[in-house]
Amino acid sequence: MQQIGGINGRVADAPSNNWVYRVLPQWLWPYAQLARWDRPIGWQLLMWPCFWSATMAANAAAHLGQFSGGQLIFHLVLYFIGSVAMRGAGCAYNDLVDHKIDMEVARTRSRPLPSGRVTRTQTKLFIVLQALVGLLVVLQLNWFSVILGVASLAIVALYPFAKRFTDWPQFFLGLAFSWGALMGWAAIFGSLGLAPILLYIGAVVWTIGYDTIYAHQDKEDDELIGVRSTARLFGDKTKQWLVGLYGLMLVLTFAAFVLAGVGIIAYLGLLIAAGMFAWQIVTLDINDADQCLVLFKSNNRVGLIIFAGLFLSLLFILP
C-alpha cells in the first residue's frame, strides 16, 4: 500500500475511518478523495440552498394552489444527486488548478494530485464524468432552469483563480455554492423573483462567513505562498465581520421568507439558526485550527434547521 505523508493511501485532512476506505476498492480511493466523498460537508453546504429554495417555492406554490408533493420530493432527490456530483467535479477542478499550490501546503500535499496517485489526465476525465451526471440532473428540470444551471459554470470556472487576484475568494465561492437558491425556485415556477434573489444573496453572505472560519486553518501557509483570503483580510476582527455577515444573512433570508409567504415554523427555524450563529461567533478561536474546522462543519446543522423549518411550515399552509 502506498505511503502518503505517513498515511496509508489517505489524505491528511480527512477522517481515515470514512466509509470510502471500508467500502471502495483501493484503486478508487484517489478518485473518492478528488471528489471529497470522504468529506461530505462540501456537498451538504452546496445542497442546502437548493433545498431551501425548493421548499420556499413550495410554500409559495401552496398559497397559489399549485403545490405538488411528488414534484418537491423528486426535486430534492435531484438536488442531492446534483450536489454530490457537481461538488465532486468542482473539487477535482480546483485541485487541477491548485496543483502546485497544494504541494506547498501541509494540509493539502497528501491529496491525490500533488502526491502523484492520479495524473492530470485522469483528473480531467473524472471531472467530465461527474459533470455529465450533473447535466443529466439539470435536464430533468424546465428549460429556464437548464439555462440557469449552465450559466453557473462561468462562476465555477472562475472561483479557483480568485485567491490569486482578490482578498475575497470566499465571495466567489459564495456565488457558486449558493446558486441552488435560484435553481430550486426556478425549477418550480420557471422564472425568478425577488424572494429567491434575496435568498441567494443571503446564502452568498452565509458562505463568506463559514468559509472565512474554514480559511483560518490555512492562513499561515497562505501567507507564505501568497494566497489571499478573507481570513487573512479580517484577521483579529473576524468575529466582528461574522456578526455583520451572519446578521445580514438572517435579515435577507427573513425578507425572502416574508415575500414567499412561508409558514410560521420557517421563522422558528431561522431563529434557531440565529442562535447557532451566535454560538459560532462567541466560541470561535481563530488560532485553533481544529476548532475552526468543527465550527465550519456546524453550518451543516444550520442548513438542516432552516430546511426543516421550511418543510414543516408547509403543514400550516396546505389545506
Side-chain angles (χ1 to χ4, degrees), residues 77-94:
V77 171
L78 289 178
Y79 298 142
F80 163 71
I81 297 171
S83 295
V84 174
M86 294 310 296
R87 187 262 186 150
C91 286
Y93 171 67
N94 190 73

Side-chain angles (χ1 to χ4, degrees), residues 53-110:
S53 185
T55 47
M56 187 177 75
N59 275 258
H63 283 296
L64 301 173
Q66 300 174 3
F67 173 74
S68 169
Q71 180 190 51
L72 176 60
I73 298 301
F74 177 59
H75 284 181
L76 293 179
V77 171
L78 289 178
Y79 298 142
F80 163 71
I81 297 171
S83 295
V84 174
M86 294 310 296
R87 187 262 186 150
C91 286
Y93 171 67
N94 190 73
D95 284 2
L96 202 62
V97 173
D98 287 347
H99 189 172
K100 293 183 179 179
I101 292 177
D102 285 346
M103 295 177 70
E104 304 297 325
V105 177
R107 187 175 61 84
T108 59
R109 66 170 59 106
S110 61

Side-chain angles (χ1 to χ4, degrees), residues 6-30:
I7 305 173
N8 293 332
R10 272 74 160 178
V11 291
D13 59 343
S16 60
N17 62 343
N18 189 268
W19 69 269
V20 163
Y21 309 111
R22 298 194 305 270
V23 176
L24 298 182
Q26 190 175 344
W27 67 270
L28 279 178
W29 289 5

Side-chain angles (χ1 to χ4, degrees), residues 31-55:
Y31 297 99
Q33 292 162 354
L34 277 174
R36 311 293 197 270
W37 293 342
D38 53 346
R39 281 165 285 181
I41 184 62
W43 64 256
Q44 290 165 346
L45 293 174
L46 179 64
M47 179 185 73
W48 291 126
C50 302
F51 275 34
W52 298 348
S53 185
T55 47

